[in-house]
């Protein structure tokens, strides 16, 4: 085999070019080659990691601090496939976390809950982000801790599964505090519920739930443990390929942990996709007085008490 020898100047130019490549993760103007290194530099402080455009097959566990993970250009920083602790791309258990403009796709793990984000401690805000073609988009939390979780202007598509004993969902959040999901899009589910929320207070407002291309999905909105708040101004389309075709919005279907008195469900528009079975717009297991206002319904039974 012939060896190709580079002239010293050419070799120096190549090495200089490699050295000049900017580090993809920056904190306070300092560059880092890995997300782990950037988190280590933050420690227990409050800081922002700016992420350059690119596709990243790495993951990280945040155990301290209040950290914002922000794409330098929204939608251009893509994380895929690799998970930490057999859970997610980002496992979050610091004091707080903000995700801004990132894309997560292609997550699978042994227990069927592979996801872009696993939230285990601290408040969480997710904005302008996408969760695609995985077992779950965002999941985590516990019933005994009060936290504030906010999801806004984000997309969840091609998510969920029921091939394991426990189904996974597009979004599955648990807290004794509050969950807000606003101005977001859910579509093309592949099993489970679109938004499964166990929280004392909920705000599910101004979203689109398009199940017309869903596969073996269940409820579009599942307030599993009840809760007060609002389900307002959403557009919901029930598809025909359903594992549970009877209900679009389920209230306290699993238990009555939280009061539902005054839960406002109004200003929504809901319909059936061609071929979809007749269903109830709201299925209620709480037996408390919900504040169901004016909703524009096509082909749906407005309310069923179980």
């Amino acid at each position: 085999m012939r060896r190709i020898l580079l002239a010293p100047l050419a070799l120096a130019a190549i090495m200089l070019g490699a050295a000049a490549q900017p580090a993809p993760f920056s904190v306070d103007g300092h560059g880092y080659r890995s997300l782990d290194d950037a988190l280590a530099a933050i420690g227990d402080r409050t800081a922002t990691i700016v992420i350059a455009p690119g596709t990243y097959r790495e993951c990280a566990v945040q155990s301290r601090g209040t950290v914002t993970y922000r794409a330098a250009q929204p939608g251009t920083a893509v994380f895929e496939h690799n998970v930490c602790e057999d859970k997610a791309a980002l496992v979050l258990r610091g004091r707080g976390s903000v995700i801004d403009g990132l894309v997560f796709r292609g997550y699978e793990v042994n227990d069927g809950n592979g996801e872009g984000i696993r939230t285990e401690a601290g408040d969480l805000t997710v904005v302008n982000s996408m969760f695609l073609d995985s077992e779950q988009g965002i999941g985590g939390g516990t019933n005994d801790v009060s936290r504030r979780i906010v999801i806004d202007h984000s997309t969840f598509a091609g998510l969920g599964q029921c091939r394991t004993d426990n189904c996974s969902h597009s979004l599955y959040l648990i807290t004794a505090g509050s969950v807000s999901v606003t101005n977001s899009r859910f579509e093309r589910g592949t099993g489970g519920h679109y938004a499964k929320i166990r929280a004392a207070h909920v705000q599910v407002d101004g979203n689109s739930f398009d199940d017309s291309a869903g596969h073996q999905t269940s409820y579009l909105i599942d307030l599993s443990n009840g809760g007060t708040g609002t389900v307002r101004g959403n557009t919901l389309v029930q598809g025909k390929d359903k594992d549970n075709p009877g209900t679009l919005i389920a209230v306290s279907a699993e238990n009555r942990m939280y009061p539902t008195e005054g839960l406002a469900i109004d200003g929504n528009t809901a319909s059936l996709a061609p071929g979809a079975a007749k269903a109830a717009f709201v299925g209620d297991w709480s037996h408390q007085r919900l504040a169901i206002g004016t909703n524009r319904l096509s082909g749906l039974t407005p309310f069923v008490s179980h």
Side-chain angles (χ1 to χ4, degrees):
M1 180 183 296
R2 291 184 59 191
R3 298 180 61 190
I4 300 175
L5 300 179
L6 296 175
L9 287 178
L11 181 59
I14 292 172
M15 294 178 66
L16 181 61
Q21 290 294 320
F25 307 99
S26 64
V27 179
D28 301 329
H30 299 285
Y32 299 91
R33 290 291 172 187
S34 75
L35 194 52
D36 273 339
D37 289 344
L39 281 172
I42 292 171
D44 202 31
R45 297 184 296 124
T46 297
T48 296
I49 302 173
V50 179
I51 305 171
T55 299
Y56 301 96
R57 290 198 170 188
E58 61 176 284
C59 62
V61 177
Q62 177 194 340
S63 58
R64 298 183 294 166
T66 301
V67 180
T68 295
Y69 305 78
R70 177 174 296 143
Q73 299 172 27
T76 65
V78 180
F79 287 82
E80 62 180 17
H81 302 308
N82 283 17
V83 299
C84 286
E85 299 181 346
D86 205 33
K87 295 175 182 176
L90 296 179
V91 181
L92 305 175
R93 46 176 178 262
R95 290 199 310 275
S97 307
V98 176
I99 313 299
D100 186 354
L102 303 186
V103 178
F104 300 88
R105 67 188 182 197
Y107 291 101
E108 296 182 5
V109 298
N110 291 326
D111 68 359
N113 289 304
E115 53 206 351
I117 297 172
R118 176 72 56 87
T119 175
E120 297 185 345
D123 291 345
L124 171 66
T125 296
V126 177
V127 295
N128 302 319
S129 295
M130 301 181 72
F131 300 83
L132 308 173
D133 303 320
S134 302
E135 292 170 329
Q136 195 154 272
I138 308 173
T142 61
N143 287 314
D144 58 349
V145 176
S146 181
R147 303 160 58 201
R148 182 171 181 264
I149 300 174
V150 175
I151 314 294
D152 184 58
H153 282 95
S154 294
T155 296
F156 299 79
L159 304 167
Q161 63 81 27
C162 282
R163 68 181 183 277
T164 62
D165 291 340
N166 295 313
C167 291
S168 301
H169 315 281
S170 296
L171 181 67
Y172 185 17
L173 297 171
I174 309 169
T175 177
S178 66
V179 171
S180 172
V181 183
T182 56
N183 307 306
S184 295
R185 183 172 180 81
F186 295 78
E187 62 186 11
R188 205 167 42 82
T190 52
H193 309 302
Y194 282 90
K196 183 178 180 69
I197 301 170
R198 302 180 187 272
H201 186 83
V202 299
Q203 179 188 21
V204 184
D205 295 353
N207 305 288
S208 169
F209 295 87
D210 184 359
D211 187 40
S212 58
H215 174 66
Q216 288 295 292
T217 54
S218 190
Y219 305 138
L220 277 64
I221 301 172
D222 178 28
L223 307 182
S224 312
N225 297 354
T228 56
T230 59
V231 179
R232 179 172 288 151
N234 302 286
T235 299
L236 306 96
V237 178
Q238 175 90 321
K240 66 178 182 178
D241 186 0
K242 305 291 294 184
D243 181 57
N244 188 337
T247 302
L248 277 68
I249 301 172
V251 179
S252 300
E254 295 185 25
N255 61 58
R256 304 171 191 172
M257 178 176 291
Y258 302 119
T260 60
E261 187 80 24
L263 172 67
I265 304 176
D266 60 49
N268 302 285
T269 300
S271 61
L272 300 174
K278 189 173 179 64
F281 174 57
V282 176
D284 176 49
W285 285 258
S286 74
H287 303 157
Q288 296 186 13
R289 189 185 298 273
L290 309 183
I292 299 180
T294 300
N295 298 283
R296 297 178 60 186
L297 308 180
S298 179
L300 295 161
T301 300
F303 178 83
V304 173
S305 179
H306 297 272

